[in-house]
Structure formats: structure tokens, C-alpha cells
Amino acid sequence: MSDYGHDLVFGSFTTPGNDDPDRTVGLAVLAEQVGLDLVTFQDHPYQPRFLDTWTLLSFVAARTSRVHVSANVTNLPLRPPAVLARSIASLDLLTDGRVALGLGAGAFWDAIEAMGGRRLTPGQGVRALEEAIEIIRQMWDAEARGGVRVDGEFHRVVGAKRGPAPAHAVPIWLGAYKPRMLALTGRRADGWLPTLGYLEPGGLAKGNAIIDDAAREAGRSPRDVRRLLNISGTFSTVGRGSLNGPAEQWVRELADMALGDGVGTFILASDDPDDLRRFAGEVAPAVRELVAAERERG
């Protein structure tokens, strides 16, 4: 059982479809209007049916004023880390600190290679991601002396000028499932961002244990790593399974994951406006109230 005590955050995970751009942007604007805290989009630059995620995030950020935005997660093999660092910092400055950086090591390697990216093995992907994190953090450290220097196996930056610094401490969240990625999350990241449907039974507890051990070995507290979770489900009048039932059932299940598995951020994958309204209006406040009451009781 793990409750890291994080404030609860609720967000949306919207398909960045380009068949109806107004609807895609409208769902993000709606997320802010109904009271959600975070808007995210998947990043698959090789997918011609999708809007480019970083262009979309910039457009959505300009159409909103409160909600935070992030890729869920950024396709690192097609986003050079030094350039990505400046993109993130720039958007964070333009939004007065409303940007987070979700990062992934890569998947769909045939498509990545077709777009000019380098095909990597799983182990290479983890090492490349760790190098990228180092480059990004150095780029953001605008007050440090000298240029950015990382002579890595996959990424090489030799004296690039630092900056700009983002408007706030931009969190780096990793989409991780396997032990090496989970350990990297514990060592270097600010958040763990898996998708519930991709986890094996007991996967949250197993992942937390690896992250916690790696964090402690790196001299960090496990609380330094926020636990985020992409979820999906169906609102219905009768319970038919996990996250398939009335809002009250959703509330109980999400509160259990917050208190028992330490999840501090729930991100609903849905393109249905009614789902977003119900998630924000009925589920989120009730989960916050239930978790707060349980924490008060200790």
C-alpha cells in the first residue's frame, strides 16, 4: 500500500485527429471549462491522421488560460532533445508555467525509421532517454556557466548555449513499463505515466516498488516522483466491470488507486464531451473528498 500524499490532479487524453481540428481543440477548451487540470495528446509524428502534437499543444495553450498541457508522451526518437528543451521552455514562458514534459523511449520503430529516426533496441532506447534528460535539464539550467556538453552514445551536444529557462520547474514524466525504464524513472524523472490498460495485474504496485528503490538509491525520496495514470472506461447505470459503471463506482475505484497505489494524477482517455463533463463534475470532486477524508483518518 502506497499513498505518496500528492494533491490529486485530473486531466484529459484527447485524440489529436486532423479530420475535424475544431473538434479536437474544442475538447481541450471544454476540459478547461468543466474544471479539469490537465490536457494531453499522444505524440505520433509518423501518423498522417493526427495533427502535429507540438503545434497542437501551442494552439491549445493559446486558446486556454488555466489548464496545463503535455504530450502523452513525446516521441523522443523524432524530437531532438536540445531542440525539444527550447520548445518546452518557450511554451512554458508563453503560458506562464503551464507545460509538462511527458517523454517516451519510442515505439512503432518501422514508422519511426520511415520518418528518418534511428531504430533502437529496448536497452538502447532507455540509454538514449537518459542522455536526453541530461541534455534537457542542462539546457534549462540557464544560470550555469559554460555550454551544454553531453557526449553520449546516442545524443551529442558540444557546447550549445543554455536557455531559455522555463517559467517554472517543468516536470518530466516518463511512460515506463519495464524494469530498466522504471528504474530510470526513479533515478531521474519527476513522474511515472503509464496507461492502466497496458499494465499487468499488480503492475502499479510492482512499478512503484522499482521506482521507490531506484529513487532511494539515487538519494531521492519516492515522493519526488508523482504517479500519473491514463485511464479509460464507460459510464453506465449498472456496474459491469472495472471503470464500467456509475460515477459512484468510478469514485470508489479511483480513490482506492490513489490511497493504495499512490496515483496522484488521473487522465481520462475519451473524446466524448459528456464523459469529460461527468469526470470533472461528478468523479473528480468526489474522489478528492473521499481521499482527503481517508487521509484525515490516517
Side-chain angles (χ1 to χ4, degrees):
M1 299 288 286
S2 300
D3 177 11
Y4 301 96
H6 295 140
D7 292 339
L8 297 186
V9 172
F10 295 85
S12 65
F13 189 8
T14 300
T15 305
N18 60 25
D19 55 331
D20 189 350
D22 287 343
R23 185 175 190 276
T24 300
V25 174
L27 287 170
V29 173
L30 175 65
E32 176 170 271
Q33 291 173 342
V34 299
L36 292 177
D37 311 294
L38 174 68
V39 168
T40 71
F41 301 95
Q42 58 192 292
D43 181 34
H44 297 286
Y46 38 75
Q47 176 52 265
R49 296 194 303 274
F50 289 171
L51 296 163
D52 173 70
T53 297
W54 278 105
T55 306
L56 176 59
L57 287 172
S58 298
F59 194 89
V60 165
R63 291 283 304 274
T64 56
S65 60
R66 179 191 57 80
V67 75
H68 287 232
V69 298
S70 178
N72 188 351
V73 290
T74 304
N75 189 294
L76 180 63
L78 293 173
R79 308 281 188 185
V83 178
L84 178 62
R86 288 221 168 104
S87 298
I88 294 285
S90 298
L91 188 56
D92 199 56
L93 289 166
L94 289 165
T95 60
D96 195 25
R98 291 193 286 128
V99 179
L101 175 56
L103 275 178
F108 307 104
W109 290 103
D110 289 345
I112 289 171
E113 196 170 39
M115 288 284 286
R118 178 180 174 183
R119 182 185 294 269
L120 302 177
T121 66
Q124 289 173 330
V126 176
R127 297 198 300 276
L129 179 56
E130 186 158 18
E131 292 174 5
I133 292 172
E134 179 62 26
I135 291 168
I136 290 167
R137 293 201 188 281
Q138 284 197 38
M139 292 289 290
W140 290 344
D141 189 7
E143 299 303 316
R145 297 182 62 181
V148 175
R149 294 189 178 275
V150 175
D151 190 6
E153 182 182 0
F154 304 97
H155 301 292
R156 186 168 182 264
V157 180
V158 286
K161 294 185 181 299
R162 298 173 183 267
H168 83 305
V170 174
I172 296 178
W173 304 330
L174 300 189
Y177 297 92
K178 301 296 184 181
R180 282 177 294 193
M181 279 287 289
L182 292 165
L184 174 59
T185 303
R187 290 196 310 272
R188 300 298 307 273
D190 305 298
W192 176 33
L193 177 52
T195 295
L196 182 60
Y198 294 163
L199 290 169
E200 299 176 352
L204 285 173
K206 293 175 184 176
N208 280 336
I210 295 172
I211 290 169
D212 292 355
D213 287 346
R216 294 188 188 99
E217 289 176 9
R220 310 175 71 200
S221 166
R223 283 196 57 171
D224 293 341
V225 184
R226 173 171 282 272
R227 316 304 157 112
L228 307 94
L229 189 64
N230 294 320
I231 60 173
S232 60
T234 302
F235 288 104
S236 57
T237 57
V238 178
R240 296 183 175 87
S242 178
L243 296 181
N244 187 342
E248 294 80 7
Q249 176 186 329
W250 282 62
V251 170
R252 292 193 302 271
E253 292 182 14
L254 297 190
D256 285 346
M257 282 189 271
L259 295 166
D261 294 303
V263 179
T265 299
F266 295 98
I267 304 172
L268 178 63
S270 176
D271 297 330
D272 185 330
D274 289 336
D275 284 352
L276 296 181
R277 293 187 183 97
R278 191 165 237 179
F279 187 59
E282 299 179 38
V283 175
V287 174
R288 286 191 172 106
E289 183 177 352
L290 182 54
V291 169
E294 291 296 325
R295 286 174 173 171
E296 182 75 15
R297 283 195 287 267

